Amino acid sequence: MNLSFSQPAWATLRQSPISWAQIPGRGRGVVTCRMLRADAVLDVAPAIPTDIAACDAGIAQYLFVIDRERREPLPKNFKATHALVFGMMSFCNHAHDPNARVYFNMDHGGLEACLIAIKPISVRDEVTIAYPDLAWYRNEELL
């Protein structure tokens, strides 16, 4: 899967392909507005890098893990392990077999998070991601 961009990720978004919705039995979530292919950019949003140890439990449960699989390399001096992510992707629910993934890039304004489809997603299907640390989530029956 080639996930590098020759232009900023936000430039590929003309009209949002996703929207939030009430998901029965799961609360708020993200759904597609049209058929999406694998590798489609679903959302791009700013992210604030941080370390989980610096956050209280109330904020920590909303942090995204910045893993080592990157779309584009982050600077060598980039040390943050987690990020607070803004945008629609912050409403994505967990799935053990997700259909999307969050990647992190540096742009001219700082860290950005990109939600990318990892398999085709049909119209009005829920967009899900894998939460890497389920221990932070108290209400696991929603997972």
Side-chain angles (χ1 to χ4, degrees), residues 30-70:
V30 176
V31 295
T32 60
C33 299
R34 61 180 182 257
M35 178 71 180
L36 299 168
R37 69 180 198 295
D39 295 340
V41 177
L42 309 181
D43 192 21
V44 179
I48 299 173
T50 188
D51 284 314
I52 200 163
C55 298
D56 65 36
I59 295 293
Q61 66 183 335
Y62 296 104
L63 296 179
F64 283 62
V65 173
I66 301 173
D67 65 18
R68 296 298 153 219
E69 185 176 333
R70 308 252 192 260

Side-chain angles (χ1 to χ4, degrees), residues 102-140:
V102 176
Y103 292 90
F104 292 91
N105 297 314
M106 292 299 285
D107 70 3
H108 299 293
L111 188 66
E112 71 176 5
C114 301
L115 181 65
I116 308 292
I118 57 174
K119 57 178 83 168
I121 309 173
S122 297
V123 178
R124 292 184 293 279
D125 275 1
E126 183 177 11
V127 177
T128 57
I129 59 177
Y131 295 177
D133 186 2
L134 297 179
W136 279 103
Y137 301 94
R138 294 188 181 110
N139 199 358
E140 289 192 25

